[in-house]
Amino acid sequence: MTEHVYGVGIKIGSRVELHPACDLWMRGARYGEVTGNVGPVLVVKLDKYPHARRFEAQFLRVIK
């Protein structure tokens, strides 16, 4: 069974998936890579979105 744990084990360089409640997830930008952090907020460069976006860790999960 796959674990769906959001906000755990996220480091810079991690490959992540957005939470389905995020608007960008519904628009098809579901996966990306963590490129930095600004305090408690993580900066993610999404695969299908031209700009890096900021997300709280609770809206991201690490994919392998």
Side-chain angles (χ1 to χ4, degrees):
M1 188 163 132
T2 305
E3 289 186 25
H4 296 284
V5 180
Y6 289 86
V8 176
I10 301 174
K11 302 178 217 171
I12 294 175
S14 296
R15 187 95 175 121
V16 294
E17 178 183 15
L18 296 181
H19 191 279
C22 295
D23 188 47
L24 285 171
W25 189 91
M26 293 180 216
R27 294 179 184 194
R30 298 178 179 173
Y31 303 99
E33 183 176 333
V34 177
T35 59
N37 65 333
V38 180
V41 179
L42 298 168
V43 179
V44 179
K45 175 63 178 113
L46 298 167
D47 296 342
K48 294 186 177 182
Y49 195 76
H51 308 288
R53 298 293 303 243
R54 295 179 184 175
F55 295 96
E56 292 182 21
Q58 66 186 2
F59 294 110
L60 303 171
R61 80 174 169 112
V62 176
I63 57 175
K64 296 178 183 180

